[in-house]
Amino acid sequence: MDSFVSEPRPASYETLSNNVLKRERRARERQVREEEKKKVTTNKIPENQRQQVANDDTMDPTQFLSNRIKSLALLKESGVNPYPHKFDISMSITEFIDKYRSLHVGEHVENTEISLAGRILNKRSSSSKLYFYDLHGNGAKIQVMADARHSDMDENEFCKYHSGVKRGDIVGICGFPGKSQRGELSIFPRSLVVLTPCLHMLPRHAITSNSDEAQSKKKTRNHSWTPGITRNPETYILRDQETRYRQRYLDLMLNSEVQKIFRTRAKIISYSRDFLDNLGFIEVETPAMTMTVGGAAARPFITHHNELDMKLYMRISPELYLKKLVVGGLDRVYEIGKVFRNEGMNLTHLPEFTMFEFYMAYADYNDLMDIIEKLLSGMVKELTGSHKIKYHGNGFDSEPVEIDFTPPFRRIDLIEEIESRANLSIPKDLSSETANKFLLEACEKFDVKCPAPHTTTRLLDKLVGHFLEETCINPTFIINHPEIMSPLAKWHRSKPGLTERFELFVNKRELCNAYTELNDPQVQRQRFAEQLKDRQLGDDEAMVLDESFCSCLEYGLPPTAGLGMGIDRLAMLLTDSPNVKEVILFPAMKPQD
Amino acid sequence: MEGLKVWRLSSSIARPSNLRQLFGLGTSSGLVRCLDNGAAAANATNTRFPSRNRRASTSTSTSTNTSDREAVRAIRLKKVEQLRSKGTEPYGYKWDRSHSAKELQEIYKDLNNGEELDSESHHVSIAGRIVARRAFGKLAFLTLRDDSGTIQLYCEKERLLNDQFEQLKTLVDIGDILGASGSIKRTEKGELSVKVDSFSILTKSLLPLPDKFHGLTDIDKRYRQRYVDMIANPEVADIFRKRAKIMREIRKTVESRGFVEVETPVLQGAAGGAEARPFVTYHNSLGRDLYLRIATELHLKRMLVGGFEKVYEIGRIFRNEGISTRHNPEFTTIEMYEAYSDYQSMMDMAEEIVTQCALEVNGKLTIDYQGTEIQLQRPWRRETMHNLVKEVTGVDFTELEDDLKVAKDVVLKAVGLGLDSKDKSSIEACPSLGHLLNEVFEIFVEPKLLQPTFVLDYPIEISPLAKPHRRHAGLTERFELFICGRELANAFTELTDPLDQRARLEEQVRQHNKKRAEAVSVTDGTGEKKNIDEDSMYEVTLDDDFLTALEYGMPPASGMGLGIDRLVMLLTDSASIRDVIAFPVLKISQ
């Protein structure tokens, strides 16, 4: 084996050094130019170049596609690869902007050579010797001022080549930086190569403007979006919601804000990770496919493992597995991962979503309220620069609301608050028949709708929705839920019948759910038994007994507090997205007709 | 550490057959191990898992004894009642810790034997699981283990309030979780201890812990009840700590280079990006079948089309295939894509990621994997598949003509002697030269690639998403990274030509359907061979939207997928993928 390893590398294979690559690229560019030259001389139709720009806009999209495919075929036939393997960029567009934004109007730095690449989203020509392009990449944009005088190509080649460059093409540019007379930061290409042609016609903004000036005016009008402020998708180039979600790449390509939504989402997740890592938590992975369903009340997806001939469920929550790891001695664990629920889709629900759960041994729900307050207020401050955000909580048609994440968040006691708002005195023993009757009457009295089955849990839940959730615009902890509503939460240390649980509501929606974990295996079994009763009454959201979990508890789960938070909902708040599909890259969609 | 030593001592002496003796030994030497702990050792396994009984003859564990286990449980449940009747809640709500065990061991490492620090500033509070104990008349030693390590609790009767000492002797069992506070003392024997002022039972455990060396020799049970495995073998928990470190290090490495983390869907209308049998599920409200992703590739490439230049996703992948020491139906990969780069830059990236992780976890680049020394020092060997095959088998595929049959003859002539019939028939079944080259590579070369090796330039027939090689017809710009004979990463210069891509995917579907039709006809013919090639009985569909995305233009790019479970196996010297996945999929026990 050793001799095998130490044998010198055969000379036949050389790793491609940058120089080789550069040589190759130059050779290719030369080749492209020669091919173009050949065609220019054979075809001799250079005069209608300017027209072609205009033609592209009005052309039928199918015609556009077939034209482009034809020209690709021609290129390939002549031995040119229209899809080069690599283009060396010396900096990103963002870095270019940072480095040269301070140039003076009209200043050119001709002695520097920079190579950039990106997608052309706008093409304008003022003559066959001068083309303007907007070059986009990684969420930033600069102008390309392609002047025949600066080009390595001769004038004919230049005209020909640039007339063939289409809006949507991805190009690589070598050139020098400068600012135009109008003050636009630009790159002045010595060479420009199409790296990937765009075969389709890109959708355009309703109002298109072709002049440099109008472009810069538009830029000053459109302030650039940052997390915490409102968005207006009505101003997007691509507005059709179906297309935006089904072909997200077009959405990302054309609507510059959309990339920022997903960058914000990435920041939310990395902020959460760093926050917990700094508290000594470790990230773990628990199964997404399991033999039993647990940790929440929801209908699961079912699948089948062929070779093992085994029915498997997609997880509806990682909770039970994470608690097993705490039993195993990992005192502080968290998981950020997909959870699946086989339920209907609406503005806030999709079949798969991202859950953030953490468990902390020796802590209780009071500790978690402090921790989540710190995490969220810190995150909002870091991402938006303030504790207050604007959010179209009621859709883009209504006025945005302001949500204030300044800690401490309001805390309201679930039962006490309903009692005081509705002026009721709810029976203490919530598992009793009397309590059920009382709540049913209360719902009727206040016209709170609760579809059957009328279990006490469901009735209470509706009353909470009616009296409490409605008041929770700013982050609010609703605390101390009744035992019957919380089968995995520990009974309250001083309030009989209640648990040490909280839900954090923001803009009337649940964002977090947390409790001091129930760790008495006997009580846990009883709670599952009570859930079974509700199930038998027809509440299919009641939880099912998980024997392996109960037996795990018998080995001893330390006092532990745990929290689950929906990452998608948090991303919705911070990106002013009233629809969850705005924050999921490729959301599940109904099949197209 | 006295207590723990006893615990270990007893375990090393004891054999399954003489656990009872051990218990006797314990008492005779002045140890007080609670009755139920003795039973614990004897009763390391239980009947919850019926398979245990069937395997008893081959297992090293004792036969099970349900009644013992149930007896322990009953005794402990009584203790729960007793505690409650005294007004003590046996399931506490919280405990404020001032230190972890490891922190104390660190801070007081220079404390001399017999020395005590009793002042207020040395008052500490800790919590953890009791893993060993010895009690004498007025003195008891308990070993407490937390997330970080162990420390001894030194309990004197007169120092504790009221009947706390009695409680400690009668109500606390090994396995319970305790919070304790007190001052610092190093015993004459040199054991750093917390001299306990007060303690609280935070969680009363009901089931006995298995003995370290015997209780969990049943591998199946170790995976099924991972938490018991972790309690009994702290080094198991360490693997998961290291796994977390590796994940963190990977993220750090790629994010420092400007990669953005994204999440693409698990449930998809069509499963693409790899050749594997997908899991199928059904979405009720959409009323349609959905597939679990078998790769993240096609969606991440859409991100490049959308204008992201560097993206990655770390996530779960699902493949409906057999389980083995290297395969779990769900596993974790990182896939990353970088615009304007090619597979050469991905090789650098792979080296960077693996070496950074190795340094983070092991502190060095020379590591031991299952007895083999692996040198991770960069740069790693980069060699083409053609050259490797030639080197090992003597067959030069560049000299072979296009005739597949002749090629097979040449191959079989060169290597036929060392072949078993299975390998022979898979060579004969190869539908193309590319497949043949790859087959020969897999059989003869792969197992020999122990030191990190990038295998370059795969045949186009087996690389439907890779760009054709810029210089060699029939090959692609693709590499796989092998370490210890296992594939760790797979990367290409990505195919960006939508027409070429469409043709290749259509060919893939055609091949698959052909195989499927053959399998069906075999089944029809004999009526018995139902299992024949069931592998290909799933449907493969064309991801048209992906092709449309390519038509809008994807920049030249390279991409790589790296198996995180396998990387963790390598860096934690774990033989099986089940050792690095907390809850692996197992056969139904029975």
Side-chain angles (χ1 to χ4, degrees):
Chain A
M1 198 50 47
D2 279 343
S3 67
F4 176 78
V5 170
S6 59
E7 201 175 51
R9 293 181 191 189
S12 66
Y13 186 81
E14 251 183 22
T15 51
L16 293 170
S17 72
N18 276 341
N19 281 337
V20 174
L21 289 170
K22 255 184 210 159
R23 259 203 314 277
E24 277 204 0
R25 198 186 70 232
R26 290 208 194 100
R28 197 173 55 235
E29 283 165 17
R30 244 194 334 269
Q31 199 183 5
V32 172
R33 286 198 295 268
E34 275 162 17
E35 295 301 330
E36 296 292 344
K37 219 186 258 174
K38 236 188 275 170
K39 260 182 261 157
V40 170
T41 47
T42 49
N43 293 342
K44 284 188 181 165
I45 41 152
E47 52 269 21
N48 43 8
Q49 284 146 10
R50 222 181 306 172
Q51 261 177 322
Q52 209 177 331
V53 178
N55 279 350
D56 289 347
D57 288 340
T58 50
M59 195 184 282
D60 166 59
T62 330
Q63 187 62 45
F64 183 93
L65 175 65
S66 72
N67 280 3
R68 287 231 91 177
I69 290 178
K70 260 180 235 156
S71 69
L72 282 189
L74 280 176
L75 266 185
K76 282 185 195 168
E77 250 170 54
S78 63
V80 177
N81 177 9
Y83 296 93
H85 285 72
K86 176 169 173 26
F87 183 81
D88 277 312
I89 51 173
S90 59
M91 59 179 71
S92 71
I93 294 178
T94 336
E95 285 164 341
F96 180 87
I97 294 172
D98 287 346
K99 193 160 180 196
Y100 296 108
R101 58 153 47 101
S102 55
L103 291 182
H104 300 298
V105 172
E107 187 180 352
H108 294 181
V109 195
E110 295 208 23
N111 55 357
T112 334
E113 169 145 325
I114 286 164
S115 55
L116 297 177
R119 191 185 289 272
I120 289 171
L121 287 186
N122 231 314
K123 178 182 178 183
R124 312 174 296 278
S125 64
S126 54
S127 76
S128 64
K129 289 171 219 155
L130 185 59
Y131 288 85
F132 294 97
Y133 302 100
D134 286 344
L135 187 73
H136 290 245
N138 249 2
K141 184 199 97 177
I142 54 156
Q143 177 171 267
V144 180
M145 212 168 140
D147 188 330
R149 284 174 302 168
H150 297 133
S151 174
D152 292 348
M153 295 179 173
D154 69 33
E155 240 174 64
N156 261 345
E157 277 179 82
F158 180 89
C159 297
K160 175 69 185 161
Y161 195 81
H162 282 270
S163 73
V165 176
K166 305 289 182 214
R167 178 165 176 261
D169 286 356
I170 293 167
V171 298
I173 294 167
C174 296
F176 59 87
K179 260 195 185 155
S180 71
Q181 292 303 332
R182 293 198 167 92
E184 190 92 355
L185 179 60
S186 309
I187 183 160
F188 296 80
R190 298 211 184 272
S191 73
L192 182 150
V193 193
V194 174
L195 302 173
T196 308
C198 175
L199 305 188
H200 294 280
M201 229 162 121
L202 288 185
R204 273 186 184 276
H205 213 290
I207 328 131
T208 16
S209 47
N210 276 344
S211 79
D212 198 1
E213 198 176 10
Q215 281 296 312
S216 54
K217 223 191 261 168
K218 208 174 81 193
K219 214 180 84 192
T220 47
R221 186 170 51 86
N222 282 355
H223 60 277
S224 105
W225 179 83
T226 56
I229 65 174
T230 57
R231 293 190 293 128
N232 185 4
E234 276 306 304
T235 61
Y236 286 0
I237 293 176
L238 180 67
R239 271 173 301 177
D240 177 58
Q241 247 192 12
E242 285 281 308
T243 315
R244 285 188 53 214
Y245 300 152
R246 282 188 201 276
Q247 292 179 281
R248 181 68 83 183
Y249 46 90
L250 283 181
D251 189 28
L252 290 164
M253 194 191 298
L254 296 164
N255 303 327
S256 58
E257 271 170 24
V258 177
Q259 271 208 22
K260 288 189 191 154
I261 294 178
F262 292 100
R263 287 176 192 278
T264 304
R265 186 184 167 108
K267 278 186 194 149
I268 289 171
I269 291 174
S270 71
Y271 187 95
S272 308
R273 272 204 192 97
D274 290 345
F275 185 91
L276 287 191
D277 287 346
N278 286 335
L279 290 175
F281 281 79
I282 69 162
E283 185 175 12
V284 295
E285 292 174 88
T286 64
M289 291 192 310
T290 59
M291 290 173 64
T292 52
V293 186
R299 194 199 285 228
F301 282 97
I302 302 169
T303 185
H304 185 259
H305 190 286
N306 286 53
E307 194 171 303
L308 298 179
D309 192 16
M310 189 159 76
K311 185 175 172 181
L312 290 168
Y313 300 95
M314 303 300 292
R315 68 173 166 199
I316 55 173
S317 154
E319 174 159 351
L320 303 187
Y321 280 102
L322 289 172
K323 287 190 204 169
K324 284 180 181 177
L325 290 175
V326 180
V327 171
L330 299 177
D331 285 346
R332 296 181 178 188
V333 293
Y334 71 96
E335 179 163 16
I336 297 178
K338 289 285 176 64
V339 167
F340 309 85
R341 299 189 181 172
N342 198 346
E343 290 163 1
M345 305 195 293
N346 60 33
L347 286 181
T348 50
H349 295 88
L350 282 178
E352 67 174 283
F353 56 99
T354 303
M355 191 77 143
F356 170 63
E357 287 206 9
F358 68 84
Y359 291 81
M360 186 177 186
Y362 309 111
D364 61 14
Y365 79 141
N366 293 308
D367 297 318
L368 291 201
M369 279 191 262
D370 294 343
I371 287 177
I372 199 69
E373 252 172 26
K374 242 185 232 145
L375 171 61
L376 289 176
S377 60
M379 179 192 296
V380 170
K381 186 83 202 268
E382 163 109 358
L383 265 63
T384 71
S386 145
H387 280 133
K388 294 175 183 160
I389 62 163
K390 284 273 191 347
Y391 183 58
H392 280 96
N394 306 309
F396 283 117
D397 307 335
S398 320
E399 278 301 296
V401 292
E402 185 180 81
I403 300 172
D404 186 353
F405 282 87
T406 309
F409 302 162
R410 186 164 71 114
R411 299 180 186 196
I412 55 178
D413 185 285
L414 187 144
I415 296 285
E416 282 173 18
E417 192 75 8
I418 294 183
E419 287 186 329
S420 85
R421 284 184 184 265
N423 197 18
L424 293 173
S425 179
I426 301 171
K428 289 278 168 269
D429 182 4
L430 285 164
S431 56
S432 66
E433 207 41 53
T434 345
N436 186 271
K437 214 180 237 164
F438 182 92
L439 292 170
L440 189 59
E441 280 162 16
C443 280
E444 276 162 12
K445 182 176 163 197
F446 293 102
D447 198 25
V448 175
K449 301 266 180 297
C450 178
H454 292 140
T455 61
T456 306
T457 305
R458 287 171 58 89
L459 293 167
L460 262 174
D461 195 51
K462 297 295 168 199
L463 288 170
V464 172
H466 181 79
F467 286 106
L468 308 189
E469 292 174 12
E470 281 302 306
T471 72
C472 305
I473 303 294
N474 287 336
T476 305
F477 293 113
I478 297 180
I479 66 171
N480 301 339
H481 298 55
E483 277 177 19
I484 52 164
M485 295 176 85
S486 317
L488 298 167
K490 195 161 187 167
W491 67 92
H492 198 285
R493 66 193 83 179
S494 59
K495 299 181 176 178
L498 304 184
T499 59
E500 298 200 348
R501 173 181 175 190
F502 69 81
E503 288 179 294
L504 178 63
F505 277 79
V506 182
N507 191 50
K508 307 179 194 172
R509 291 232 175 77
E510 180 199 343
L511 181 66
C512 303
N513 182 21
Y515 26 88
T516 307
E517 302 296 335
L518 179 53
N519 59 347
D520 179 337
Q522 285 174 291
V523 177
Q524 184 66 75
R525 279 186 206 274
Q526 282 163 20
R527 295 273 188 88
F528 278 132
E530 281 150 22
Q531 289 286 305
L532 184 65
K533 277 185 222 153
D534 278 2
R535 248 187 125 69
Q536 283 159 349
L537 284 173
D539 182 359
D540 57 7
E541 295 213 334
M543 267 181 227
V544 190
L545 170 90
D546 184 323
E547 179 51 42
S548 85
F549 175 64
C550 290
S551 106
C552 169
L553 285 188
E554 295 191 342
Y555 285 96
L557 170 70
T560 299
L563 179 143
M565 176 165 76
I567 290 287
D568 309 281
R569 294 204 176 167
L570 184 54
M572 286 166 71
L573 289 168
L574 293 178
T575 60
D576 190 25
S577 304
N579 183 341
V580 67
K581 288 182 181 172
E582 289 283 313
V583 300
I584 290 179
L585 278 168
F586 302 97
M589 303 289 285
K590 297 198 173 68
Q592 269 168 315
D593 301 327
Chain B
M1 198 62 84
E2 279 95 330
L4 193 65
K5 270 182 207 147
V6 171
W7 192 44
R8 284 212 179 123
L9 175 71
S10 56
S11 349
S12 59
I13 293 171
R15 288 287 168 269
S17 53
N18 62 7
L19 280 170
R20 287 291 165 197
Q21 243 173 298
L22 158 70
F23 180 62
L25 177 83
T27 31
S28 68
S29 62
L31 298 177
V32 180
R33 288 183 59 149
C34 285
L35 175 69
D36 49 301
N37 287 318
N43 214 359
T45 54
N46 62 76
T47 51
R48 196 171 291 279
F49 300 92
S51 63
R52 293 282 320 113
N53 285 331
R54 289 201 298 125
R55 291 185 191 177
S57 56
T58 53
S59 157
T60 54
S61 309
T62 45
S63 61
T64 54
N65 191 333
T66 319
S67 59
D68 275 9
R69 186 183 148 96
E70 285 309 311
V72 170
R73 202 165 167 275
I75 291 167
R76 293 202 184 181
L77 279 173
K78 218 164 266 165
K79 291 181 183 176
V80 167
E81 275 170 41
Q82 261 176 289
L83 281 164
R84 283 205 172 119
S85 70
K86 288 181 186 170
T88 309
E89 175 51 52
Y91 297 96
Y93 281 80
K94 79 166 268 155
W95 186 262
D96 283 318
R97 285 190 285 186
S98 64
H99 294 84
S100 70
K102 191 178 166 194
E103 281 167 353
L104 291 179
Q105 301 283 7
E106 243 343 91
I107 295 170
Y108 297 105
K109 64 175 186 295
D110 295 329
L111 195 68
N112 292 323
N113 289 1
E115 207 176 326
E116 282 188 50
L117 298 168
D118 223 352
S119 74
E120 191 55 37
S121 59
H122 299 290
H123 192 87
V124 299
S125 162
I126 52 170
R129 196 181 285 274
I130 300 304
V131 293
R133 49 174 253 155
R134 298 187 305 160
F136 304 96
K138 293 180 172 184
L139 196 57
F141 299 101
L142 282 72
T143 304
L144 178 143
R145 191 166 74 216
D146 66 13
D147 203 330
S148 69
T150 58
I151 192 158
Q152 176 166 275
L153 302 182
Y154 183 98
C155 310
E156 277 176 333
K157 187 173 182 181
E158 50 271 30
R159 211 177 154 98
L160 290 165
L161 276 180
N162 306 331
D163 64 341
Q164 271 214 314
F165 190 77
E166 281 314 304
Q167 253 191 43
L168 194 71
K169 278 174 84 170
T170 57
L171 297 177
V172 172
D173 295 302
I174 292 182
D176 289 357
I177 292 162
L178 248 62
S181 59
S183 53
I184 291 291
K185 173 193 175 83
R186 193 179 289 280
T187 64
E188 294 297 343
K189 285 179 178 167
E191 199 57 48
L192 185 71
S193 311
V194 172
K195 202 169 169 189
V196 178
D197 294 331
S198 73
F199 74 89
S200 170
I201 299 178
L202 298 176
T203 302
K204 185 78 201 132
S205 68
L206 299 184
L207 291 177
L209 290 183
D211 182 89
K212 185 175 173 71
F213 292 100
H214 306 109
L216 285 169
T217 45
D218 181 339
I219 288 186
D220 193 61
K221 186 179 168 187
R222 285 184 46 197
Y223 297 137
R224 275 183 213 283
Q225 284 184 291
R226 177 72 82 183
Y227 49 92
V228 184
D229 191 21
M230 288 163 69
I231 299 170
N233 305 306
E235 64 277 8
V236 172
D238 274 343
I239 290 182
F240 298 103
R241 290 192 188 94
K242 284 180 180 167
R243 184 176 174 118
K245 269 190 184 173
I246 289 169
M247 293 282 254
R248 188 154 183 77
E249 196 56 33
I250 294 175
R251 282 210 177 83
K252 211 172 101 192
T253 307
V254 297
E255 283 182 6
S256 69
R257 292 173 171 217
F259 282 79
V260 179
E261 185 174 16
V262 296
E263 293 171 87
T264 65
V266 171
L267 300 171
Q268 310 179 338
E275 260 189 285
R277 177 194 206 100
F279 282 97
V280 191
T281 187
Y282 183 78
H283 189 251
N284 295 338
S285 86
L286 286 183
R288 68 184 287 200
D289 278 345
L290 292 173
Y291 298 90
L292 271 60
R293 67 176 172 201
I294 53 173
T296 46
E297 175 151 358
L298 303 189
H299 280 92
L300 290 174
K301 285 183 177 172
R302 285 170 169 94
M303 303 300 296
L304 294 185
V305 174
F308 279 86
E309 290 174 0
K310 297 177 183 182
V311 291
Y312 78 98
E313 175 164 14
I314 293 182
R316 225 62 73 72
I317 303 294
F318 305 84
R319 296 191 181 169
N320 197 347
E321 290 165 358
I323 56 176
S324 76
T325 53
R326 278 189 286 167
H327 297 93
N328 194 55
E330 56 175 299
F331 55 98
T332 305
T333 64
I334 176 172
E335 279 200 30
M336 47 197 309
Y337 292 83
E338 182 180 19
Y340 311 114
S341 73
D342 60 9
Y343 75 147
Q344 297 289 340
S345 33
M346 276 299 153
M347 284 185 236
D348 298 339
M349 183 59 96
E351 285 180 347
E352 181 77 17
I353 288 174
V354 176
T355 51
Q356 285 301 322
C357 289
L359 287 173
E360 176 66 23
V361 171
N362 297 313
K364 53 187 174 34
L365 291 177
T366 303
I367 58 168
D368 181 79
Y369 183 74
Q370 306 290 300
T372 307
E373 190 182 278
I374 306 292
Q375 303 281 353
L376 295 174
Q377 287 81 357
R378 301 168 70 174
W380 299 341
R381 189 176 185 211
R382 301 180 181 193
E383 190 53 273
T384 64
M385 185 184 254
H386 274 88
N387 284 340
L388 286 167
V389 165
K390 187 171 148 196
E391 201 174 88
V392 174
T393 67
V395 180
D396 187 349
F397 270 74
T398 55
E399 288 175 356
L400 291 178
E401 301 291 321
D402 273 351
D403 191 323
L404 182 60
K405 195 173 171 317
V406 173
K408 282 179 187 170
D409 290 344
V410 170
V411 166
L412 287 173
K413 211 173 131 196
V415 299
L417 287 176
L419 276 181
D420 61 32
S421 59
K422 187 175 142 270
D423 289 340
K424 207 165 187 171
S425 61
S426 52
I427 282 182
E428 273 156 3
C430 285
S432 73
L433 266 184
H435 286 92
L436 181 62
L437 173 66
N438 186 52
E439 195 65 43
V440 173
F441 170 79
E442 282 182 6
I443 297 170
F444 296 99
V445 183
E446 256 187 40
K448 299 195 170 165
L449 300 178
L450 298 183
Q451 300 302 325
T453 308
F454 291 109
V455 178
L456 275 59
D457 303 346
Y458 279 59
I460 200 159
E461 298 93 326
I462 57 164
S463 315
L465 297 161
K467 204 165 216 171
H469 198 284
R470 62 193 88 177
R471 281 189 308 269
H472 305 292
L475 301 183
T476 56
E477 298 202 348
R478 168 183 177 188
F479 73 79
E480 288 193 354
L481 168 62
F482 284 84
I483 302 180
C484 280
R486 284 177 195 165
E487 178 206 336
L488 202 67
N490 182 18
F492 340 121
T493 305
E494 301 297 337
L495 180 55
T496 48
D497 181 341
L499 304 177
D500 190 358
Q501 184 67 82
R502 182 176 291 274
R504 291 216 230 157
L505 290 183
E506 279 172 355
E507 176 59 22
Q508 201 182 17
V509 172
R510 209 163 20 244
Q511 291 291 342
H512 181 84
N513 289 343
K514 201 172 126 199
K515 243 175 144 182
R516 215 172 135 207
E518 278 163 12
V520 168
S521 69
V522 168
T523 316
D524 290 350
T526 63
E528 279 173 16
K529 293 186 171 179
K530 281 241 158 95
N531 286 331
I532 284 199
D533 220 357
E534 209 187 57
D535 259 7
S536 51
M537 290 306 286
Y538 58 94
E539 253 185 86
V540 171
T541 47
L542 207 59
D543 187 341
D544 245 314
D545 179 63
F546 167 65
L547 293 169
T548 308
L550 286 192
E551 285 169 7
Y552 278 100
M554 180 173 110
S558 63
M560 174 166 69
L562 188 146
I564 290 184
D565 307 285
R566 291 193 181 174
L567 179 60
V568 177
M569 283 169 71
L570 177 74
L571 297 180
T572 58
D573 192 17
S574 303
S576 168
I577 194 169
R578 284 171 214 147
D579 295 327
V580 302
I581 291 179
F583 302 98
V585 171
L586 300 165
K587 294 191 176 100
I588 296 167
S589 62
Q590 256 157 49

